[in-house]
Amino acid sequence: MKRVLLADPIDPSGVELLRSRGAEVVLAPEGSPETIRRLARDADGAIIRSKLPDDIFDAAPRLRAVTIHGTGTDLVPLASANAKGVLVANLPGENAQSVAEYCVMAMLMQARNIAAIAAAIRNQPWDQARALSGSAREIAGLTAGIVGVGEIGRRVARICRTGFGMTVLGNQRRLDRLPPEAEPSSLENLLKESDFVVIACPLTPETHHLFDAARFAAMKPTAWLINVGRGPVIDEAALIDALHAKRIAGAMLDVYEHYRIEPGHPLFALDHVILTPHLAGSTRESRARAAVRAADEMLRMLAGKKPRNLVNPEAWNERRPQDR
């Protein structure tokens, strides 16, 4: 019997599929690196939604397969996976609608100052809480700039353009491949013109700290930042400086430079920042879709088959034919 570690909970439909095919399923009670290392030692595969420890494949040499319950390949130490022959699969596009809706929710919350108002009405006089709506904006007619127009960005562009009548600017390596709802733009022009800047690009050597002090200085002082891509795309220290200095209006962040934001982090002290714990893609619908697909990919790999969306073909190519 193959043992599959769930580093994070998944929808019961995925668990049922694993068990129906004879796999033993072990759910981690919490996601600390120590717990994941300990439970992974006796596992053949792991399904993850959070970052694995960098030394996981040394600590758990039995692991042969990892399915990322989403798209983030930075959640797995891929060089180590390749060296150990561990297959890694992910689920591109599975939670794109959920993340896109989060982005639009962020725009509405920021434009209407909802977080501050919702907090104020609990502990301030009615009129003081109501006065916080003085800066509220309609998002119709505003400009959304999307950095990284993959499946998430395409859906954000469509909702913003066709649903709200916003202007949408898009920036990516291939500007000729943008959807019709997004106007191609250089990053410099996008930052200059956008009222909302949505980061939805992957983390690569080129995008690491793409948003630094100079980029924040190029944004409108009335603009809001939304990050659903990867935390290290932002130089967090530069963002904190920009927020302190009011060089931008605010930010809503779902990802951080270090995967788990620790208590006492400087971002918690800023009242024009909304923080969420990497859940933009987490809805009932997306979890149900992803759980079944993640389980199916895991079962394929544990059976010696190539997954439908293999992240690291190097590991597959290194396997002997009889091991495939």
Side-chain angles (χ1 to χ4, degrees), residues 144 146-162 167-185:
I146 305 171
V147 181
V149 194
E151 188 56 36
I152 293 168
R154 288 174 181 273
R155 295 179 187 230
V156 173
R158 185 164 60 246
I159 296 169
C160 289
R161 183 74 188 94
T162 63
T167 298
V168 180
L169 304 178
N171 177 263
Q172 60 183 19
R173 283 182 298 176
R174 291 292 302 271
L175 293 179
D176 60 332
R177 294 185 178 179
L178 289 172
E181 295 87 358
E183 301 173 18
S185 174

Side-chain angles (χ1 to χ4, degrees), residues 295-308:
D296 179 69
E297 289 284 58
M298 177 56 59
L299 291 166
R300 289 179 65 85
M301 290 187 285
L302 293 181
K305 298 177 182 178
K306 189 175 183 179
R308 292 182 172 84

Side-chain angles (χ1 to χ4, degrees), residues 6-320:
L6 304 182
D8 308 90
I10 67 172
D11 188 80
S13 57
V15 177
E16 181 180 349
L17 178 58
L18 289 168
R19 288 176 173 159
S20 72
R21 302 289 181 82
E24 178 187 358
V25 179
V26 177
L27 173 62
E30 46 87 20
S32 69
E34 296 77 15
T35 297
I36 299 304
R37 289 189 192 97
R38 175 174 57 82
L39 294 177
R41 286 193 202 106
D42 298 320
D44 301 286
I47 297 176
I48 67 167
R49 288 168 44 208
S50 303
K51 190 178 186 307
L52 286 173
D54 289 336
D55 62 350
I56 187 63
F57 301 120
D58 293 319
R62 179 171 157 178
L63 269 181
R64 308 309 302 153
V66 174
T67 302
I68 302 165
H69 190 281
T71 59
T73 57
D74 57 309
L75 299 179
V76 180
L78 287 177
S80 177
N82 291 337
K84 303 288 186 180
V86 180
L87 299 182
V88 180
N90 71 346
L91 313 177
E94 207 64 59
N95 62 4
Q97 183 63 28
S98 297
V99 180
E101 291 181 9
Y102 175 101
C103 292
V104 178
M105 173 189 70
M107 294 182 198
L108 292 166
M109 289 183 67
Q110 291 171 324
R112 300 297 291 267
N113 201 21
I114 290 299
I117 293 170
I121 198 171
R122 293 175 179 273
N123 51 39
Q124 293 181 22
W126 173 275
D127 289 335
Q128 288 186 27
R130 197 162 184 264
L132 294 174
S133 68
S135 61
R137 301 285 307 275
E138 292 181 352
I139 67 172
L142 298 183
T143 297
I146 305 171
V147 181
V149 194
E151 188 56 36
I152 293 168
R154 288 174 181 273
R155 295 179 187 230
V156 173
R158 185 164 60 246
I159 296 169
C160 289
R161 183 74 188 94
T162 63
F164 291 100
M166 300 176 73
T167 298
V168 180
L169 304 178
N171 177 263
Q172 60 183 19
R173 283 182 298 176
R174 291 292 302 271
L175 293 179
D176 60 332
R177 294 185 178 179
L178 289 172
E181 295 87 358
E183 301 173 18
S185 174
S186 67
L187 182 56
E188 290 70 23
N189 181 68
L190 183 150
L191 296 176
K192 177 184 176 183
E193 299 293 335
S194 296
D195 299 293
F196 300 95
V197 175
V198 178
I199 301 174
C201 59
L203 178 63
T204 67
E206 293 73 29
T207 63
H208 182 266
H209 282 189
L210 178 66
F211 279 76
D212 56 13
R215 294 269 157 70
F216 293 126
M219 291 173 62
K220 292 181 178 181
T222 55
W224 293 276
L225 181 73
I226 300 162
N227 189 9
V228 294
R230 283 294 176 259
V233 173
I234 291 176
D235 179 341
E236 217 161 74
L239 172 62
I240 292 168
D241 287 344
L243 290 166
H244 271 301
K246 307 289 186 181
R247 285 193 288 274
I248 63 174
M252 185 158 174
L253 309 174
D254 191 49
V255 288
Y256 307 93
E257 190 153 6
H258 301 287
Y259 182 76
R260 290 171 180 258
I261 187 169
E262 298 296 331
H265 192 285
L267 284 168
F268 286 123
L270 298 168
D271 58 8
H272 51 321
V273 179
I274 304 171
L275 309 174
T276 57
H278 196 191
L279 49 65
S282 184
T283 59
R284 290 182 183 179
E285 293 81 3
S286 70
R287 286 198 303 270
R289 290 191 301 266
V292 170
R293 190 170 162 199
D296 179 69
E297 289 284 58
M298 177 56 59
L299 291 166
R300 289 179 65 85
M301 290 187 285
L302 293 181
K305 298 177 182 178
K306 189 175 183 179
R308 292 182 172 84
N309 204 77
L310 179 64
V311 168
N312 58 337
E314 301 90 339
W316 177 260
N317 294 337
E318 286 298 315
R319 291 195 172 192
R320 297 173 299 169

